[in-house]
């Protein structure tokens, strides 16, 4: 069984992250249908034509040495995908806070879920016939909006569709 590939943030704790180094993975995933996709490195709605909020998976590590919580995994990491003219895009992944100390966690992104979600959305926007993706709600801990940076900025689907993980 293949191991999941993760893209580490290198203990960087921010409220949001962009992963331009994953552009080649996204480009490879859409190359059969979309020519010359490009990554917009600016986290801005300026010139944005369309945007979509969804979720990816990841792991977070609390970097507070005085906190007893080492880390946590999440299948509900908020992401905002923006589309720009001529097959441009970017994706902003939002951080989460530690439940015990309220400090931002360092994100280790699940590269596969990121690539799949971004590539699917780009194909949809380009009008490429794409099989509808269905994701079932999995049993788990409740989503805590107060710890989710995507919720705070209004981009988390959990804030829109209810507080279940």
């Amino acid at each position: 069984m293949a191991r999941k590939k993760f893209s580490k943030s290198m203990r960087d704790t921010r409220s949001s992250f962009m992963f331009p180094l994953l552009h080649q993975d996204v480009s490879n995933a859409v190359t059969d249908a979309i020519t010359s996709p490009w990554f917009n490195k600016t986290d801005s709605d300026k010139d944005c034509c369309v945007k979509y909020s969804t979720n990816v998976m990841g792991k977070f590590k609390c970097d507070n040495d005085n906190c007893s919580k080492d880390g946590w995994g999440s299948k509900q990491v908020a992401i905002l995908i923006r589309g720009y003219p001529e097959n441009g895009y970017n994706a902003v992944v939002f951080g989460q806070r530690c439940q015990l100390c309220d400090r931002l966690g360092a994100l280790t992104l699940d590269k596969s879920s990121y690539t799949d979600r971004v590539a699917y959305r780009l194909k949809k926007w380009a009008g490429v016939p794409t099989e509808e993706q269905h994701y079932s709600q999995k049993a788990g801990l409740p989503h805590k909006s107060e710890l989710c940076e995507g919720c705070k900025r209004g981009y988390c689907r959990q804030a829109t569709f209810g507080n279940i993980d």
Side-chain angles (χ1 to χ4, degrees):
M1 187 164 135
R3 289 180 52 108
K4 287 192 174 193
K5 294 181 181 177
F6 290 88
S7 182
K8 293 186 179 186
S9 67
M10 294 185 220
R11 302 216 14 124
D12 188 8
T13 56
R14 291 181 279 150
S15 62
S16 64
F17 304 85
M18 291 176 68
F19 294 90
L21 294 178
L22 294 180
H23 169 66
Q24 190 60 54
D25 293 343
V26 172
S27 183
N28 291 343
V30 301
T31 193
D32 61 328
I34 301 173
T35 58
S36 305
W38 58 277
F39 188 86
N40 184 344
K41 293 181 181 178
T42 305
D43 181 2
S44 170
D45 284 344
K46 186 178 185 304
D47 299 324
C48 172
C49 304
V50 63
K51 53 188 169 180
Y52 187 80
S53 295
T54 187
N55 296 300
V56 293
M57 296 183 289
K59 298 175 185 175
F60 291 90
K61 179 155 181 58
C62 184
D63 73 341
N64 181 355
D65 293 333
N66 297 319
C67 183
S68 62
K69 187 156 187 94
D70 286 331
W72 63 97
S74 178
K75 294 182 179 178
Q76 298 294 331
V77 180
I79 178 174
L80 172 66
I81 306 167
R82 294 185 185 105
Y84 296 90
E86 299 178 22
N87 299 323
Y89 76 96
N90 69 21
V92 180
V93 180
F94 296 96
Q96 294 181 1
R97 293 184 173 273
C98 176
Q99 186 173 356
L100 295 181
C101 72
D102 199 43
R103 296 232 337 229
L104 285 166
L107 171 64
T108 301
L109 179 69
D110 178 312
K111 290 170 49 172
S112 177
S113 68
Y114 173 93
T115 302
D116 291 348
R117 295 293 171 97
V118 173
Y120 175 80
R121 187 54 38 195
L122 295 180
K123 287 179 179 181
K124 290 288 280 186
W125 287 338
V128 175
T130 308
E131 188 174 323
E132 193 74 23
Q133 292 181 334
H134 297 283
Y135 300 101
S136 61
Q137 293 287 339
K138 296 188 172 55
L141 299 173
H143 183 71
K144 296 190 184 304
S145 295
E146 68 275 10
L147 301 175
C148 173
E149 295 299 308
C151 284
K152 291 176 184 177
R153 291 185 45 190
Y155 293 120
C156 181
R157 291 179 62 92
Q158 293 301 307
T160 304
F161 297 115
N163 286 338
I164 57 174
D165 198 26

